[in-house]
Amino acid sequence: MKYRIAHFLFLLPAFFCILNVSGQSAPRNILTGAISQEKLALVLAGKSEFSPLPAIDDDFWLELDAETRQVLISNGEKYMDYDWPSLLARRYMDFDIDGNRTRFSNRYYARREAVAELCMAEIAENKGRFMDDIINGVWLILEETTWVVPAHSSGDKLHDRNDVFVDLFSAETAALLGWVDYYFGEKFDAVTPLIRERIYEEVNRRVIQSMLDHNDFWYMGYTGRIPNNWNPWIVSNWLTAVLLLEDDQERRAESTWKALDVLDQYLNPHPADGGCDEGPGYWGRAGASLFDCLFLLHQATDGALDVFDEPLIRNIGSYIYKIHIDADWFVNFADGSAINHHDPGTIFRIGRAISDRTMMAMAAEQFRHNYEPGNVPSGRSPFGQRIIPGLMIRDALAAFAGDFVPEINYFFPDLEVVVSRENRNNEGFFMAIKGGFNNESHNHNDVGNFVVFYDGLPVFIDAGVGTYTRKTFSNERYDIWTMQSAYHNLPTLNGEMQQDGDAFRAEDVDFTSSDRETTVSMDIADAYPGYAYTASWNRHLELDRRAGKITLTDEWAQIRQLERNEWHFMTAFEPDILRNGLIRVSNGATDLEMKFSRHFSTDIEKVEIDDPRLEGVWGNTLWRITLKTGRSGLKGKESFTISPE
């Protein structure tokens, strides 16, 4: 694999990242290298000393603006005398019987959401009005046989209560109960000490002790499998539970040190460019969860553990604005949605921690775009990680001066993703293209796929991913159309789509840029099976700023010709065939045209959508353009030019 990078100065940092990756032989160990185990034990706050958020009687809550206070109270009032959802055994078994994840999980999440809303209402009001319902919800959760959701259970239809595997949501439940105890522990004791005793007993048994006892949970990074979002997501909640609930200082230090080591297993193989191969949607539970951990650690050690200036840490944070298109649109390669609603408060806090004013400006723009008086920062339970810190940061976020002005180009050399704009004000064309390989976390078979936006709205798209079912993470994954290369902006070669696996990848990724143009090229032949009989398929995507157009050029050499090659293009709006070699495409506001050779036959396919996750982004219809070459021959070159009408 090689990269050729133009000599312009703004690309030098990316170039040095490549040198660091290729020359790195020892693990980074950023966290365990930043502090010794002995020093951690000395500086780590005890339970009684650890006060990460304003207490329930703190002036912060008294000074909260009336609109926000009323929203918090009204949200909680919806759950007074709540008819708590039952969690039936048959619903748990649905996942194994028919693959459905949601009939059980939605009821499971609803319990936790109700507890979080009731807690926020009681914190805002502090009159005891919500306490009975909080106790009811907490006790129901404590009585659950398992906190592991069906999709993450290895049991035979039902989960063995003695199997204390820690999944995403058992860890989230532990953190939620930690925050409940932090805010209401004394109020519980006034009712009965059994509530707090049971909270600690269950959280310790199911999560804290289990995480200490096990090194074989796949996401920890000790088994040879490269960790993904599960690692920081779970650690952020495990660490929260430890710091809020564990009284024994020796166990606090032991658990926290192991948490550092598990996070290092995530950071050691992480791309130096900070890119999230799972896409911008998962950044919220990958990169952002890493920062949840770093904020907690910084507080719990009184600043003794501070790695916010580490280049990799900074890159993991800044990824989210580099992959941003406009408004709520993001480049969504892999299992990601093109529309994301990340919490501006979280982005702002991260930007401030890593001293990145561009990131802070992006957060401020998102805040202005989405804010309504009295609204509460977005986020799911556990409420203490982001919702309350979001309230605390809101004045600074609203007062931040400075426009979000992204760079013309962002290049992720390890992720092999290029993002490029016609103008820094987001007018005109935006394009992004990926290389990589077809065994990334939450992979789609999409090597060489690209997206095009115009004036911040989608022209050629990545459809994203539908609602998760058992099939999504099974050996049938690539039977799902959204995972297949033929439903991305990619060719089908000799009748063959791309395949999944480490070996199916891009080669010779090449990125150059000047004031006039940005060009990206790569050979994607190896992303296809050998029986596609393609020796090379050089894909070249160019944004010409002076001419205001994008040109895709594919040049290839094949060994045999079994079927005519096809090109596929996915759009959100119905295209029109104007004549041979000319199609009108739209982003809903502007009509554009795609020009190509007249010998192609053109087929327009309406792709009906009946999946709620996809419908939430695209509505009930997408469109696929299929162009089949009318020429024969083992070598060829074709260009497709996109420009405003």
Side-chain angles (χ1 to χ4, degrees):
M1 184 180 301
K2 70 175 184 177
Y3 302 103
R4 178 173 60 85
I5 305 178
H7 60 274
F8 304 103
L9 289 178
F10 65 85
L11 294 178
L12 286 177
F15 179 67
F16 289 132
C17 282
I18 298 170
L19 295 181
N20 287 337
V21 170
S22 61
Q24 181 184 319
S25 57
R28 296 183 177 104
N29 290 338
I30 288 174
L31 295 172
T32 54
I35 192 170
S36 69
Q37 189 169 3
E38 293 73 22
K39 183 176 181 180
L40 177 68
L42 287 174
V43 301
L44 187 67
K47 180 185 174 185
S48 62
E49 304 164 322
F50 186 59
S51 301
L53 295 178
I56 196 167
D57 56 356
D58 191 274
D59 287 347
F60 171 80
W61 298 108
L62 298 176
E63 296 165 2
L64 195 66
D65 68 273
E67 286 179 311
T68 300
R69 182 190 307 280
Q70 188 53 53
V71 168
L72 293 173
I73 293 171
S74 296
N75 287 345
E77 286 174 337
K78 298 173 187 175
Y79 294 102
M80 295 187 75
D81 299 318
Y82 185 43
D83 184 12
W84 293 88
S86 59
L87 300 180
L88 301 177
R90 179 57 178 81
R91 294 285 72 83
Y92 199 98
M93 292 189 284
D94 284 344
F95 182 75
D96 278 319
I97 293 171
D98 64 14
N100 183 278
R101 293 169 60 116
T102 59
R103 287 193 288 269
F104 179 90
S105 296
N106 285 349
R107 301 170 75 82
Y108 169 103
Y109 300 143
R111 284 186 173 188
R112 287 144 177 82
E113 187 65 32
V115 168
E117 296 282 21
L118 288 163
C119 287
M120 290 300 299
E122 181 60 32
I123 293 168
E125 188 178 80
N126 195 19
K127 294 180 179 178
R129 198 158 60 101
F130 298 93
M131 288 306 301
D132 284 350
D133 292 289
I134 291 172
I135 291 171
N136 284 338
V138 167
W139 201 255
L140 278 171
I141 290 172
L142 294 171
E143 290 283 282
E144 291 172 7
T145 299
T146 180
W147 296 339
V148 178
V149 297
H152 301 159
S153 173
S154 59
D156 180 15
K157 296 185 177 63
L158 288 172
H159 192 87
D160 181 353
R161 70 177 304 274
N162 296 312
D163 179 0
V164 285
F165 174 66
V166 180
D167 81 326
L168 299 173
F169 304 112
S170 55
E172 272 200 356
T173 301
L176 172 63
L177 293 172
W179 289 116
V180 172
D181 182 271
Y182 177 78
Y183 275 103
F184 305 108
E186 292 181 3
K187 293 191 175 191
F188 289 156
D189 284 344
V191 177
T192 171
L194 291 176
I195 300 171
R196 297 186 82 183
E197 290 174 12
R198 184 76 186 279
I199 287 175
Y200 177 78
E201 176 189 336
E202 296 295 341
V203 170
N204 181 57
R205 180 179 69 85
R206 301 179 195 229
V207 176
I208 297 175
Q209 189 61 49
S210 186
M211 293 297 284
L212 280 173
D213 289 344
H214 287 269
N215 288 332
D216 57 343
F217 296 156
W218 65 266
Y219 54 81
M220 286 182 164
Y222 300 129
T223 63
R225 179 172 171 180
I226 295 176
N228 66 358
N229 69 85
W230 278 53
N231 180 296
W233 188 349
I234 287 173
V235 174
S236 69
N237 291 300
W238 166 36
L239 192 58
T240 297
V242 168
L243 294 174
L244 294 176
L245 293 172
E246 181 55 65
D247 236 339
D248 185 303
Q249 189 65 10
E250 186 175 337
R251 290 190 83 231
R252 286 172 71 81
E254 181 186 7
S255 296
T256 303
W257 179 257
K258 185 170 182 182
L260 298 185
D261 193 55
V262 172
L263 286 172
D264 271 341
Q265 307 314 308
Y266 173 74
L267 292 170
N268 285 340
H270 199 288
D273 60 23
C276 181
D277 67 351
E278 301 170 276
Y282 273 101
W283 176 87
R285 292 298 172 186
S289 288
L290 170 68
F291 279 91
D292 288 338
C293 298
L294 299 182
F295 291 137
L296 283 168
L297 291 164
H298 191 271
Q299 289 175 303
T301 62
D302 195 23
L305 185 55
D306 183 342
V307 295
F308 292 115
D309 61 349
E310 286 282 346
L312 175 60
I313 301 300
R314 291 172 54 85
N315 286 342
I316 290 173
S318 63
Y319 162 84
I320 197 60
Y321 72 76
K322 296 173 181 175
I323 213 75
H324 178 241
I325 302 171
D326 194 24
D328 294 324
W329 295 101
F330 289 79
V331 177
N332 64 314
F333 301 132
D335 266 2
S337 170
I339 291 179
N340 292 277
H341 302 289
H342 290 296
D343 173 28
T346 299
I347 295 173
F348 189 83
R349 290 167 61 222
I350 294 172
R352 189 167 67 174
I354 64 175
S355 302
D356 190 327
R357 288 187 63 83
T358 303
M359 188 170 188
M360 295 166 74
M362 185 254 201
E365 180 182 277
Q366 294 280 292
F367 180 76
R368 290 189 294 268
H369 178 69
N370 293 306
Y371 178 73
E372 296 177 4
N375 76 344
V376 177
S378 62
R380 60 183 300 159
S381 60
F383 55 89
Q385 265 101 309
R386 299 188 187 175
I387 294 178
I388 296 176
L391 291 172
M392 295 170 67
I393 205 76
R394 193 163 60 181
D395 288 346
L397 180 56
F400 183 82
D403 295 328
F404 174 51
V405 183
E407 298 294 331
I408 287 291
N409 299 301
Y410 290 111
F411 176 42
F412 298 87
D414 304 300
L415 204 61
E416 295 186 348
V417 168
V418 174
V419 169
S420 186
R421 292 172 168 82
E422 186 175 346
N423 297 289
R424 294 182 72 184
N425 62 8
N426 282 335
E427 293 179 358
F429 277 114
F430 171 99
M431 73 175 194
I433 185 170
K434 75 174 296 290
F437 63 103
N438 282 337
N439 198 24
E440 296 162 328
S441 184
H442 292 269
N443 179 70
H444 292 202
N445 288 341
D446 60 354
V447 172
N449 184 42
F450 65 92
V451 297
V452 172
F453 279 60
Y454 192 83
D455 286 346
L457 295 172
V459 181
F460 292 116
I461 66 165
D462 187 313
V465 65
T467 303
Y468 287 163
T469 67
R470 181 179 58 190
K471 188 174 183 179
T472 311
F473 300 104
S474 73
N475 57 9
E476 300 175 281
R477 177 177 178 87
Y478 297 100
D479 294 341
I480 302 171
W481 67 269
T482 56
M483 313 290 180
Q484 299 173 349
S485 61
Y487 284 89
H488 289 77
N489 301 311
L490 286 165
T492 294
L493 311 184
N494 267 320
E496 299 299 331
M497 295 189 292
Q498 292 187 9
Q499 285 194 347
D500 60 291
D502 286 353
F504 300 95
R505 59 177 59 238
E507 297 290 346
D508 300 328
V509 176
D510 183 281
F511 162 54
T512 61
S513 187
S514 67
D515 289 341
R516 171 168 181 161
E517 63 187 18
T518 296
T519 60
V520 187
S521 63
M522 62 189 72
D523 186 350
I524 64 172
D526 285 351
Y528 294 80
Y531 45 84
Y533 297 107
T534 301
S536 64
W537 191 282
N538 291 306
R539 168 152 283 207
H540 182 93
L541 190 66
E542 176 186 282
L543 170 55
D544 186 332
R545 295 183 184 85
R546 191 172 301 176
K549 66 179 182 180
I550 289 177
T551 302
L552 171 70
T553 301
D554 284 337
E555 185 171 7
W556 66 91
Q558 293 181 301
I559 300 164
R560 297 176 63 184
Q561 188 174 57
L562 304 177
E563 295 185 32
R564 299 294 172 91
N565 297 317
E566 295 181 350
W567 282 256
H568 307 290
F569 300 89
M570 298 294 298
T571 70
F573 298 92
E574 183 175 7
D576 293 323
I577 302 172
L578 300 180
R579 62 173 185 270
N580 286 347
L582 184 64
I583 295 176
R584 176 186 291 128
V585 292
S586 175
N587 67 356
T590 303
D591 288 336
L592 302 98
E593 57 186 24
M594 181 170 69
K595 296 179 181 178
F596 47 93
S597 298
R598 290 175 175 270
H599 66 81
F600 281 101
S601 63
T602 304
D603 178 66
I604 307 294
E605 174 191 355
K606 184 178 183 180
V607 182
E608 302 281 1
I609 295 177
D610 59 1
D611 179 273
R613 186 171 179 180
L614 291 172
E615 270 187 324
V617 180
W618 308 115
N620 57 15
T621 307
L622 290 176
W623 302 86
R624 182 172 73 152
I625 302 168
T626 297
L627 305 178
K628 182 176 287 191
T629 181
R631 292 176 177 168
S632 59
L634 298 179
K635 293 184 177 181
K637 181 178 181 179
E638 295 291 348
S639 292
F640 309 84
T641 301
I642 308 152
S643 60
E645 279 192 336

